[in-house]
Amino acid sequence: MRISSKLHVIGLLLVGLLALQAGANFDYGDAMDKTLLFFEAQRSGKLPPHQRVKWRGDSGLKDGFLQRVNLVGGYYDAGDHVKFGLPMAFSLTMLAWSAVDYSKEIVKLNQMGNTLAAIKWGTDYFIKAHTQPNVLWAQVGDGESDHYCWERAEDMTTPRNAYKLDPSHPGSDLAAETAAALAAASLAFKPYGSSYSALLLVHAKQLFSFADTFRGLYDDSIPNAQAFYTSSGYSDELLWAAAWLYRATKDVYYLKYVVDNAVSLGGTGWAVKEFSWDNKYAGVQILLTKILLDGDGGSYTPTLKQYQAKADYFTCACLQKNNGYNVVLTPGGLIYVREWNNLQYASSAAFLLAMYSDYLSERKAVLTCPEGQVQPSDVLSFAKSQADYILGKNPKSISYLVGYGQNYPIHVHHRGASIAPVSVLHSAVTCIEGFETWYRRPQANPNIIYGGLVGGPSKTDDFSDDRSNYEQTEPTLSGSAPLVGLFCKLQSLSPASYHRTPTPYQKPPVSYHPQPASPYHKAPESSNPYNKAPGGPIKFLHSIISTWTIGPTTYYKHKVVVKNTSQKPITDLKLTVENLSGSLWGLSPCPEKNTYELPQWIKILSPGSELIFVYVQGGAQARVSIKSYH
């Protein structure tokens, strides 16, 4: 073989190796593009002419009207229509961080315009919500009533209550996270619009001062948020905001703040194994470690080294090299933190590790874990494993990023995606109609919510694509936001990484005809001797947990606890729920009239265990009884 031929073969082998390392089976650029589309699908307010997700329409155009403040805009949080400030602000911080540290890669992928548009849709909203230096409107929408309706954002009939933070009702966590988001965004916009960047920084500084001066948990001031986004504390957000303000301003005041408060606010004390909308410690520690690695620590170096030790703890725990004190992984290798929407923790951790690997690599630094040295490439490799799991390299061979690949969830728990768009179904879809006609239908959602990262599998890698399985099938802002930077980084390693064409405007469907549910059939009587028997192994406990009024009607939220009081496990439990006029969730409907069964992800009701379901009723409570079981 000639030398030139040998070199050609070697070259092909090297290209193949690089492709393998970069994950040749996954198009991370396409995944990134779809993730940005998710933010367009979540927009609230008057949509722009260049809106690419065409099944969405204008909505929430009177948000803040009752409070005489303009709160139009921003993002809906998940599959609902509440604008929760804390996860929204965290999501913007993640997007802005990506735009700052991966700016060259994003530009080469031709995605900077879409990325900045996603950030600005949120920052414009927060500027409007920050009406005075010490006032921040923190939430729009009532979580309780919103979750009892299944309707499109364009048809909303639920109360659009707005809740604010002020000196008498503080919220240091939310105000500081918003300050962090605006400070990070000011860096992202600085090369493109210095005046807008400066405006963001003004609001960020004021919000940080407000958060630090008037301390308190936002959900103590806004109890309505407690059932949805309970905050574990505000100390991490204060450090997080100060770290971002230092990076944006280079004002030593903010660096001194994170050093002087390192102990009192837990920055050098907390060793964590989670990075999320609620817990920013790992992010603070890695962001401050960058200052140390860049050689800019000065007299603050000793304290910054303590921050670095905690950053390394988080990283070593993720890589399973922390002397037993590791992050839990599923059998398939996914980071597992909580049952509810676990993938958001995996995406946030993977993004943070990708960033840290770059910071280490830039300074040719290595990580020393209790179980040995770790190279920056090892850190990035683990981050990549989480991205690959999300995109389909998992025991179920399913992409948990909606719309990516050939096999992804099609019964996503998302109101807008599950109902035919206004362009097709012109009449409004009411609360109850939405549940009866769309929520309970077995067919796939009529609209694909591209780029939504669903909650994902259980700790055993099991997953049920069921619209009522909101723990696993609901996408969130905070889950998808970190993926923009993560996918961008991974795509930059691919030989064919640049000069992509983003997804063009999407044409709305021409028509859509929902298929009616199967007609009810009377089920044969069960042969189980305990069927409907009083004093059987099942006990019901009814309670009313909230009420609200819409127009002339008062609605009641009923909670029913179903408890197995026997000594044996119960399977195939079916309940009869009669006189139900409203919506019900927590059980799966059967073809038989008024009959419900356990959700697919709950196969057995063990002795002493409980199942809770809830329903909304405009009058007397429904009648619940046992139909059959084994």
Side-chain angles (χ1 to χ4, degrees):
M1 183 181 289
R2 293 183 302 175
I3 293 178
S4 60
S5 298
K6 289 182 179 180
L7 291 175
H8 179 68
V9 171
I10 292 172
L12 289 175
L13 289 173
L14 287 173
V15 170
L17 179 61
L18 287 172
L20 178 62
Q21 291 174 338
N25 291 332
F26 296 113
D27 186 341
Y28 300 111
D30 181 49
M32 175 190 176
D33 184 38
K34 286 179 166 58
T35 303
L36 287 168
L37 282 174
F38 175 68
F39 284 85
E40 295 193 23
Q42 295 300 103
R43 283 172 172 168
S44 177
K46 179 71 175 177
L47 300 184
H50 53 271
Q51 169 85 5
R52 293 182 294 170
V53 180
K54 292 299 185 181
W55 53 264
R56 278 298 322 283
D58 299 339
S59 63
L61 299 180
K62 292 185 178 180
D63 282 357
F65 178 79
L66 294 177
Q67 293 77 24
R68 297 185 178 182
V69 59
N70 180 5
L71 297 176
V72 176
Y75 289 106
Y76 299 124
D77 174 63
D80 52 17
H81 300 134
V82 183
K83 296 190 288 196
F84 289 109
L86 186 57
M88 190 196 307
F90 172 74
S91 301
L92 293 178
T93 308
M94 294 298 95
L95 290 174
W97 196 352
S98 301
V100 172
D101 279 356
Y102 292 139
S103 60
K104 292 180 180 179
E105 292 84 351
I106 293 176
V107 168
K108 288 180 179 179
L109 287 170
N110 197 24
Q111 289 285 8
M112 185 56 80
N114 289 328
T115 302
L116 292 179
I119 298 169
K120 193 171 187 294
W121 194 267
T123 53
D124 282 352
Y125 167 77
F126 278 122
I127 288 173
K128 289 190 287 187
H130 185 214
T131 53
Q132 298 177 36
N134 293 332
V135 174
L136 175 65
W137 291 87
Q139 178 180 321
V140 178
D142 172 34
E144 291 288 340
S145 61
D146 183 272
H147 285 98
Y148 308 147
C149 276
W150 196 263
E151 56 188 357
R152 299 172 298 201
E154 296 80 6
D155 298 329
M156 274 191 294
T157 57
T158 51
R160 299 300 289 170
N161 299 340
Y163 306 86
K164 71 176 179 179
L165 303 174
D166 57 30
S168 300
H169 307 87
S172 301
D173 33 19
L174 198 159
E177 180 59 62
T178 308
L182 298 181
S186 73
L187 287 168
F189 280 99
K190 194 170 185 178
Y192 305 97
S194 58
S195 60
Y196 188 68
S197 173
L199 176 63
L200 292 171
L201 211 48
V202 169
H203 284 277
K205 291 178 180 179
Q206 290 180 350
L207 282 166
F208 175 73
S209 177
F210 170 45
D212 191 37
T213 304
F214 302 98
R215 295 192 179 186
L217 293 171
Y218 93 99
D219 55 324
D220 283 343
S221 297
I222 307 175
N224 186 268
Q226 291 176 358
F228 308 98
Y229 285 98
T230 301
S231 176
S232 61
Y234 55 75
S235 297
D236 52 333
E237 278 88 5
L238 288 173
L239 294 171
W240 179 240
W244 274 110
L245 278 164
Y246 174 69
R247 185 167 180 184
T249 65
K250 297 304 179 185
D251 186 337
V252 179
Y253 168 82
Y254 297 107
L255 181 58
K256 187 175 185 297
Y257 182 95
V258 298
V259 170
D260 290 347
N261 293 280
V263 175
S264 62
L265 295 180
T268 55
W270 279 104
V272 299
K273 294 184 286 186
E274 170 191 333
F275 177 57
S276 68
W277 61 266
D278 181 46
N279 192 327
K280 318 302 188 326
Y281 278 118
V284 172
Q285 291 152 359
I286 286 176
L287 199 59
L288 294 178
T289 298
K290 176 176 169 56
I291 299 173
L292 186 66
L293 292 171
D294 290 345
D296 297 330
S299 61
Y300 301 118
T301 294
T303 302
L304 293 178
K305 284 186 176 180
Q306 295 178 50
Y307 275 106
Q308 183 184 27
K310 295 301 186 289
D312 292 351
Y313 179 97
F314 171 80
T315 307
C316 295
C318 288
L319 271 64
Q320 309 295 290
K321 293 182 178 295
N322 205 37
N323 200 26
Y325 296 95
N326 296 317
V327 169
V328 175
L329 300 180
T330 68
L334 178 70
I335 287 176
Y336 182 82
V337 178
R338 289 180 182 84
E339 189 71 22
W340 192 313
N341 206 292
N342 180 67
L343 277 180
Q344 65 176 314
Y345 304 105
S347 68
S348 296
F351 167 80
L352 191 59
L353 292 173
M355 279 291 181
Y356 197 27
S357 72
D358 277 358
Y359 296 164
L360 293 169
S361 181
E362 288 168 2
R363 300 303 172 184
K364 296 180 172 56
V366 296
L367 189 66
T368 301
C369 293
E371 297 179 36
Q373 276 196 344
V374 174
Q375 297 295 326
S377 58
D378 298 324
V379 179
L380 182 59
S381 178
F382 180 82
K384 177 181 175 297
S385 74
Q386 300 303 293
D388 290 352
Y389 187 107
I390 287 170
L391 295 180
K393 191 176 181 180
N394 55 64
K396 293 291 185 181
S397 297
I398 184 173
S399 167
Y400 292 110
L401 189 77
V402 180
Y404 179 87
Q406 300 301 313
N407 183 27
Y408 51 83
I410 59 175
H411 301 95
V412 181
H413 183 93
H414 189 279
R415 286 158 175 77
S418 68
I419 303 174
V422 175
S423 60
V424 173
L425 183 62
H426 303 301
S427 59
V429 176
T430 63
C431 282
I432 304 304
E433 179 190 357
F435 275 106
E436 295 293 339
T437 305
W438 299 97
Y439 178 79
R440 295 173 181 169
R441 61 191 297 274
Q443 291 83 12
N445 288 354
N447 308 308
I448 300 175
I449 185 154
Y450 286 102
L453 179 68
V454 297
S458 68
K459 60 184 176 182
T460 57
D461 298 300
D462 290 323
F463 178 77
S464 174
D465 184 12
D466 186 324
R467 200 173 291 115
S468 64
N469 182 11
Y470 47 84
E471 292 184 356
Q472 293 191 330
T473 62
E474 185 172 20
T476 62
L477 294 175
S478 54
S480 290
L483 295 179
V484 172
L486 177 62
F487 290 149
C488 173
K489 171 62 181 178
L490 295 176
Q491 183 63 25
S492 72
L493 303 177
S494 170
S497 60
Y498 299 136
H499 307 297
R500 300 182 59 86
T501 301
T503 299
Y505 300 161
Q506 297 176 344
K507 293 183 179 180
V510 177
S511 63
Y512 183 80
H513 303 288
Q515 300 180 22
S518 301
Y520 292 124
H521 298 285
K522 185 176 180 180
E525 291 295 323
S526 170
S527 59
N528 191 303
Y530 292 101
N531 183 33
K532 298 184 181 178
I538 296 293
K539 179 181 179 181
F540 300 105
L541 177 63
H542 293 254
S543 61
I544 296 176
I545 56 178
S546 64
T547 64
W548 70 98
T549 300
I550 300 178
T553 306
T554 298
Y555 293 91
Y556 301 88
K557 180 183 179 183
H558 297 258
K559 180 175 76 171
V560 181
V561 178
V562 183
K563 184 174 183 178
N564 179 1
T565 58
S566 73
Q567 301 300 313
K568 297 180 179 180
I570 292 177
T571 61
D572 300 322
L573 175 64
K574 290 188 177 182
L575 303 178
T576 299
V577 183
E578 298 176 292
N579 294 342
L580 178 66
S581 62
S583 54
L584 177 151
W585 57 101
L587 297 174
S588 297
C590 298
E592 306 97 300
K593 187 176 182 179
N594 300 334
T595 303
Y596 297 83
E597 62 185 357
L598 299 182
Q600 292 183 14
W601 60 95
I602 302 178
K603 301 182 185 301
I604 299 175
L605 198 61
S606 302
S609 64
E610 297 177 346
L611 163 74
I612 296 176
F613 71 90
V614 296
Y615 64 90
V616 174
Q617 194 85 330
Q621 73 177 34
R623 291 201 303 268
V624 181
S625 60
I626 301 172
K627 184 177 182 66
S628 62
Y629 66 90
H630 292 99

